[in-house]
């Protein structure tokens, strides 16, 4: 592996995804429903957005700050990332998510009235959707939200976009995605984020996990293709008149 890719990039992805899951899922598990002071859906949405925003400025220059297997896939489809590095990034991201979930599990179990970890911010559909939305609703939501996320990532980091503002656009986009889709699937758009908590919940969370790999991957490819189509047309040099 060391001969194939810079290990510093992998460690950066590990740390970044670790922070995304600890900050985002941690806010949902520890702070969202806290009596009288709970941050609710809005607070959790901003927590996820802030993890990406802070890490984009921190490790963007090192690894590109993907923090998400779907983002890595979308960037590869768009020709912005090497396919040979893709599996290594995915492994680092999933490991970061799992370790963050393990630490969060230890923290949660230290509560005085602790019984079990419950749904542990896992993603789900049907009976395990926060709003009891169907499989089809969850599948469509995850595809569309991930497609838009990749389109924003690729467009805001394009050479033609204003320099230095991409992390803000990307972080706010993820915040908006969560504001829309938490009631439907608890918001994934990130297979690593889904895998970490699911491994500790087991049962239904593992059984439904496949959707939160397949749908974000499909959405990421769709977002990348859309970006390539729009930008190839919008930024062609104008044809000079005769």
């Amino acid at each position: 592996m060391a001969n194939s890719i810079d290990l510093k990039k992998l460690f950066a992805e590990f740390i970044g995804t670790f922070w995304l899951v600890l900050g985002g899922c941690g806010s949902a598990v520890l702070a969202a429903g806290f009596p009288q002071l709970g941050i609710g859906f809005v607070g959790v949405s901003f927590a996820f957005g802030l993890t990406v925003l802070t890490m984009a400025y921190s490790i963007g220059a090192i690894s590109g700050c993907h923090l998400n297997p779907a983002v890595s896939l979308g960037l590869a489809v768009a020709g912005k990332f090497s396919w040979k590095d893709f599996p290594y990034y995915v492994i680092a991201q999933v490991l970061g998510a799992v370790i963050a979930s393990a630490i969060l599990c230890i923290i949660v179990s230290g509560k005085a009235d602790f019984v079990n970890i419950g749904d542990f911010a896992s993603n789900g559909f049907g009976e395990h959707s926060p709003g009891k939305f169907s499989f089809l609703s969850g599948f469509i939501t995850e595809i569309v939200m991930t497609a838009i996320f990749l389109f924003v990532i690729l467009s805001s980091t394009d050479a033609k976009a204003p320099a230095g503002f991409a992390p803000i656009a990307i972080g706010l986009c993820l915040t908006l995605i969560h504001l829309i889709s938490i009631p439907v699937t608890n918001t994934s758009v990130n297979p690593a984020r889904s895998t970490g908590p699911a491994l500790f919940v087991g049962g239904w969370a593992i059984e439904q996990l496949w959707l939160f790999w397949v749908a974000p991957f499909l959405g990421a490819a769709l977002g990348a293709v859309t970006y390539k189509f729009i930008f190839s047309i919008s930024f062609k040099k104008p044809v000079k008149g005769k």
Side-chain angles (χ1 to χ4, degrees), residues 148-229:
I148 294 297
F149 192 38
L150 262 294
F151 180 76
V152 170
I153 290 171
L154 287 162
S155 301
S156 64
T157 56
D158 191 89
K160 303 172 187 68
F165 292 98
I168 298 173
I170 295 167
L172 289 177
C173 180
L174 188 60
T175 298
L176 179 56
I177 286 170
H178 279 78
L179 287 171
I180 297 168
S181 60
I182 284 178
V184 185
T185 61
N186 220 13
T187 309
S188 173
V189 303
N190 184 337
R193 169 265 183 269
S194 298
T195 301
L199 292 179
F200 289 86
V201 173
W204 68 266
I206 297 293
E207 293 170 3
Q208 296 190 354
L209 181 60
W210 68 270
L211 182 145
F212 302 104
W213 278 84
V214 174
F217 273 3
L218 291 175
L222 178 61
V225 170
T226 303
Y227 157 78
K228 291 177 71 175
F229 175 73

Side-chain angles (χ1 to χ4, degrees), residues 26-153:
S27 69
V29 172
L30 300 173
F34 202 82
Q36 298 180 345
L37 297 175
I39 61 175
F41 284 0
V42 174
V44 173
S45 299
F46 272 101
F48 273 101
L50 288 172
T51 61
V52 171
L53 174 62
T54 53
M55 277 298 158
Y57 279 118
S58 300
I59 64 171
I62 305 298
S63 68
C65 191
H66 299 186
L67 317 185
N68 182 341
V71 170
S72 296
L73 183 138
L75 292 174
V77 170
K80 305 285 187 180
F81 181 61
S82 171
W83 280 108
K84 70 179 179 64
D85 294 340
F86 173 71
Y88 300 139
Y89 264 53
V90 172
I91 292 170
Q93 292 156 358
V94 171
L95 285 175
V98 171
I99 297 303
S101 298
I103 289 177
L104 184 57
C105 187
I106 293 171
I107 294 171
V108 170
S109 65
K111 197 168 184 291
D113 58 353
F114 174 78
V115 177
N116 59 63
I117 60 174
D119 63 13
F120 203 47
S122 292
N123 301 114
F125 55 86
E127 286 300 310
H128 302 291
S129 156
K132 309 304 179 189
F133 285 84
S134 69
F135 160 80
L136 182 60
S137 295
F139 194 66
I140 292 173
T141 297
E142 289 294 326
I143 290 176
V144 173
M145 295 300 159
T146 312
I148 294 297
F149 192 38
L150 262 294
F151 180 76
V152 170
I153 290 171

